[in-house]
Amino acid sequence: VQLQASGGGLVEPGGSLRLSCAYSGGLSRVNVMAWYRQAPGKERELVAVIGAGTRYSDSVKGRFTISRDDFQNTVYLQMNSLKPEDTAVYYCNGANKYWGKGTQVTVSS
């Protein structure tokens, strides 16, 4: 199983980014997919999950949206109204056990 995250970068506070995670090798639409993030000096935390429904951490609820395109085998994380505290390395997770390499998101003026 392979997962490849992309779309990170530097953005000003209040800006938007869309992360993508392309997956292959056995994951399918029945699998739960998730985005996690890890800020410097902090533990990795769950940001958003998509399975039968969607679930978000309180810190991103109302600002981030997780979605998936099962024909393209891709999961997305649309991030709006970004804050400096959203700065972290963002990781894609498949089926609660497969991890991709992270993509850096930096929110700074």
Side-chain angles (χ1 to χ4, degrees):
V1 173
Q2 292 185 328
L3 299 96
Q4 181 65 52
S6 61
L10 173 64
V11 64
E12 293 186 348
S16 297
L17 281 175
R18 189 176 80 156
L19 305 183
S20 300
C21 174
Y23 56 88
S24 62
L27 291 173
S28 69
R29 67 187 67 186
V30 302
N31 292 120
V32 172
M33 302 294 295
W35 286 97
Y36 286 73
R37 68 185 181 187
Q38 187 166 19
K42 295 188 177 181
E43 294 185 353
R44 191 172 296 189
E45 64 170 348
L46 178 65
V47 175
V49 181
I50 186 165
T54 58
R55 180 164 54 91
Y56 301 90
S57 69
D58 288 343
S59 62
V60 307
K61 199 173 295 182
R63 300 188 297 121
F64 290 11
T65 302
I66 188 171
S67 62
R68 67 194 299 167
D69 182 338
D70 291 317
F71 294 101
Q72 297 292 329
N73 286 350
T74 303
V75 177
Y76 302 99
L77 185 68
Q78 178 66 44
M79 306 186 295
N80 298 328
S81 302
L82 282 161
K83 304 175 181 180
E85 51 263 44
D86 295 318
T87 295
V89 178
Y90 283 71
Y91 297 90
C92 181
N93 176 278
N96 292 314
K97 60 181 178 180
Y98 301 110
W99 293 95
K101 291 184 180 179
T103 185
Q104 175 71 47
V105 172
T106 303
V107 185
S108 175
S109 55

